[in-house]
Amino acid sequence: MTKNLATMINPKSWGWLVMLLCMCACQSDAVFEEYQDVSPTAWDMNNPAHFEVAINDTTGHYDVILHIRNTDSYPYQDLWLFTHSSAPDSTVALDTLACFLADNQGKWLGEGLLSEYDMPLLYMSNIRFPKEGTYTFDIAHGMRDSLLQGISRIGLTVEPTKVNTNVEK
């Protein structure tokens, strides 16, 4: 009598196997990736998300990506962000960014699951960090409401710039 593989494996083992496969498939080459939860009541414009990124390679080219996670309760189509970044040598850069989270019909643009949507926003493209050390990034919202409803998480990813191999030289 022979048994097939599906009947030989304990059903509880399937969960571990699926989780292991997902972890292997979702591995990232990011040098930094972190998400911060926003207060469940509202994102206070005076409470920016703060990220500290240790950079050891000054020869590589990187993309810096912001991730905005919003819920169905976000009341607007767009989101304005104020960024404050500083380098190890105390060089400071200030930026204002606009991010559209919904189209003109109100359909959320990010990747969604149930009632939450993740919108990646390319903040810096193909940059080199000039000095080794810790770079800080502070992200605050710049909306008229000082307490902003519907934003649940803010994330920052620093990853090597993906080279387009289809470009002719």
Side-chain angles (χ1 to χ4, degrees):
M1 179 189 318
T2 61
K3 294 184 179 180
N4 66 23
L5 183 61
T7 59
M8 293 173 45
I9 297 177
N10 182 340
K12 292 181 181 179
S13 299
W14 282 107
W16 287 106
L17 180 62
V18 168
M19 187 169 29
L20 179 64
L21 289 173
C22 286
M23 288 180 2
C24 291
C26 297
Q27 286 185 357
S28 169
D29 57 351
V31 296
F32 179 85
E33 185 170 27
E34 182 180 311
Y35 285 82
Q36 294 181 6
D37 291 329
V38 172
S39 169
T41 54
W43 185 15
D44 185 342
M45 70 178 0
N46 298 311
N47 188 17
H50 177 78
F51 301 96
E52 295 184 1
V53 181
I55 296 296
N56 300 319
D57 178 10
T58 59
T59 62
H61 291 256
Y62 297 94
D63 292 334
V64 180
I65 303 159
L66 299 177
H67 298 272
I68 310 301
R69 184 163 296 163
N70 67 289
T71 66
D72 282 335
S73 66
Y74 185 71
Y76 304 109
Q77 176 184 8
D78 61 348
L79 173 66
W80 286 87
L81 300 170
F82 298 139
T83 65
H84 177 277
S85 58
S86 61
D89 65 359
S90 300
T91 303
V92 172
L94 304 173
D95 286 308
T96 302
L97 306 169
C99 177
F100 284 93
L101 300 177
D103 64 16
N104 289 334
Q105 287 73 42
K107 180 181 180 292
W108 299 113
L109 299 174
E111 295 284 324
L113 181 63
L114 300 176
S115 64
E116 283 201 323
Y117 303 88
D118 186 49
M119 174 60 78
L121 175 63
L122 184 60
Y123 171 41
M124 298 175 177
S125 176
N126 198 27
I127 64 160
R128 287 181 52 203
F129 292 99
K131 303 232 181 248
E132 286 185 22
T134 301
Y135 290 76
T136 62
F137 297 88
D138 291 308
I139 316 299
H141 78 79
M143 302 299 283
R144 289 187 178 145
D145 302 342
S146 60
L147 297 174
L148 187 61
Q149 303 289 323
I151 301 295
S152 60
R153 296 182 95 188
I154 305 297
L156 183 86
T157 302
V158 178
E159 63 185 22
T161 298
K162 304 217 179 351
V163 178
N164 185 351
T165 57
N166 294 330
V167 177
E168 291 184 24
K169 295 182 181 179

